[in-house]
Amino acid sequence: MYIWSDGTQPTPLLRSKTKVIPDGTEPPIWGFDGSSTNQAAGSASDVVLNPVKIVPDPIRGGNDVLVLCECLNTDMTPHESNTRAACVETAEKWADFDSWFGLEQEYTFLEDGHPYGFPKGGYPAPQGPYYCGVGSADIFGRDVVDHHSQACIEAGLDISGTNAEVMMGQWEFQIGPASPVDVADQILLARWLLYRIAEDHDVDASIHPKPIAGDWNGAGCHTNFSTKQMREEGGYDAVIAACEALGKNAAEHVANYGDGIEQRLTGHHETQRWDTFSYGVSDRGASVRIPWQVEREGKGYIEDRRPNANCDPYTVTRLIVETVCSDASQNA
Ligand code: ADP
Ligand code: MN
Ligand code: MN
Ligand code: MN
């Protein structure tokens, strides 16, 4: 199964199609009709699929594989929809920092356009019991979530956990820690598996950042980040420097952290406002949270709470690496 990100704006969709190949052969470079995916004009429609990560296919099993691809033009340069190429370049430039990322992908199950579990034409009881809840009064979709976790494990992805979220019908899985490019590759594969498995359960999984207006949490993609320097003994100065660097470049980050970010980063529902930057220990109302263990141990990682659930993970990791590592090297 070949999988790629398309050219739909403002939020690209995942696309996939099957190629039957002889057993034991490498999935080759392939292509598709870019005029049907917002990636080309009909008169010059060929877009190239270049395999970048191949993992076991937990849906079909056996010798089948998932083939994550980047899109190239026919002259083998990156297609304009290809945000991975720039991420690879930035990751190579700052490779000495040995950056790690752990992404918390939130999402919402939708049934007939409303969150799974919401009563038809109405609302459930206010938020409170749903986060990490148990019991069929509060929890909807757990069979899908567990099926998805198992599939991620069988595909060899670095899934590190799942939990029910604050809004009914909303869930999260975490991928990482992994390198800037690999964590993003894995997020796309994990999103594809989620959509594909939800098909079998007749629900839709959505990464919309604010599926329901009003007093309901939005869906984010908290991005946990560390460099070697931050993880080392006495790394707390580097932790603070990373927060300060993110503060200096806040506008560029927010503008590229997913469509509709102003709807989600309101200053309520465990967010800081999109036009304000702050960081703090244990503070879930800040743009960037320093986990309490990090302050106590004097080293570790930070959580950028701003990225939307519908973010482009290559763009998010590229921006964080560029902002934090260029600042650290100037101050070295
Ligand atoms: P939260 O308390 O915000 O819900 P989670 O447990 O959901 O946190 O997610 C924490 C994430 O942080 C995980 O994906 C984990 O892999 C990641 N993480 C842990 N240590 C590091 C580190 N040193 N660098 C980057 N990410 C890390
Ligand atoms: Mn989490
Ligand atoms: Mn969460
Ligand atoms: Mn978090």
Side-chain angles (χ1 to χ4, degrees):
M1 182 64 84
Y2 280 62
I3 299 168
W4 72 98
S5 208
D6 81 357
T8 302
Q9 289 296 329
T11 303
L13 303 172
L14 289 177
R15 306 274 180 153
S16 49
K17 62 172 180 164
T18 295
K19 185 173 187 60
V20 179
I21 57 175
D23 224 1
T25 59
E26 277 294 295
I29 283 185
W30 200 20
F32 64 98
D33 165 18
S35 73
S36 299
T37 62
N38 301 307
Q39 280 165 302
S43 53
S45 67
D46 287 329
V47 179
V48 174
L49 287 174
N50 184 39
V52 294
K53 188 176 177 75
I54 300 170
V55 300
D57 179 351
I59 306 287
R60 288 175 166 144
N63 292 335
D64 282 300
V65 287
L66 304 179
V67 184
L68 181 72
C69 296
E70 64 173 348
C71 291
L72 303 178
N73 301 305
T74 50
D75 65 0
M76 299 297 145
T77 56
H79 186 269
E80 65 171 345
S81 64
N82 177 347
T83 55
R84 187 181 189 276
C87 184
V88 169
E89 206 172 294
T90 298
E92 283 170 1
K93 181 171 155 199
W94 301 110
D96 288 351
F97 282 78
D98 193 17
S99 297
W100 293 0
F101 284 92
L103 270 55
E104 305 169 47
Q105 175 71 63
E106 294 181 340
Y107 60 94
T108 310
F109 288 128
L110 299 176
E111 195 186 37
D112 303 326
H114 61 88
Y116 200 28
F118 272 43
K120 294 253 151 34
Y123 295 91
Q127 294 185 158
Y130 310 121
Y131 172 75
C132 298
V134 62
S136 51
D138 296 327
I139 290 298
F140 293 84
R142 191 189 301 277
D143 51 344
V144 195
V145 174
D146 283 352
H147 188 171
H148 173 254
S149 306
Q150 190 59 35
C152 288
I153 291 166
E154 286 169 20
L157 305 185
D158 297 319
I159 185 166
S160 67
T162 67
N163 58 270
E165 267 304 335
V166 174
M167 184 178 87
M168 180 187 274
Q170 202 164 70
W171 294 82
E172 166 180 317
F173 62 83
Q174 302 105 31
I175 297 278
S179 70
V181 175
D182 193 37
V183 82
D185 285 343
Q186 293 194 41
I187 284 283
L188 293 197
L189 285 165
R191 283 180 185 170
W192 186 88
L193 282 169
L194 179 66
Y195 301 145
R196 173 63 190 80
I197 287 164
E199 266 180 28
D200 288 346
H201 293 262
D202 290 322
V203 291
D204 186 34
S206 167
I207 55 172
H208 193 288
K210 195 76 182 181
I212 295 290
D215 205 9
W216 302 96
N217 274 31
C221 188
H222 297 166
T223 299
N224 299 275
F225 165 76
S226 63
T227 60
K228 189 172 61 183
Q229 208 184 3
M230 291 160 68
R231 293 187 298 268
E232 275 167 5
E233 232 27 74
Y236 203 66
D237 288 348
V239 167
I240 298 298
C243 296
E244 292 285 339
L246 288 172
K248 283 182 235 163
N249 206 18
E252 188 191 359
H253 283 247
V254 166
N256 289 285
Y257 274 4
D259 183 58
I261 201 155
E262 302 87 349
Q263 293 170 43
R264 176 175 150 265
L265 299 186
T266 57
H268 305 288
H269 303 114
E270 304 179 48
T271 69
Q272 176 55 285
R273 281 182 56 87
W274 62 274
D275 56 0
T276 305
F277 180 87
S278 65
Y279 66 90
V281 176
S282 288
D283 188 354
R284 287 172 197 267
S287 316
V288 174
R289 177 177 64 102
I290 300 171
W292 65 270
Q293 322 88 288
V294 173
E295 185 188 45
R296 194 159 81 176
E297 291 169 15
K299 61 177 182 183
Y301 65 99
I302 58 174
E303 177 193 42
D304 188 343
R305 301 178 57 79
R306 297 169 296 171
N308 266 357
N310 63 352
C311 68
D312 175 339
Y314 299 111
T315 302
V316 170
T317 64
R318 173 177 64 79
L319 283 170
I320 292 175
V321 167
E322 183 63 41
T323 295
V324 172
C325 299
S326 63
D327 182 82
S329 75
Q330 273 161 27
N331 296 329

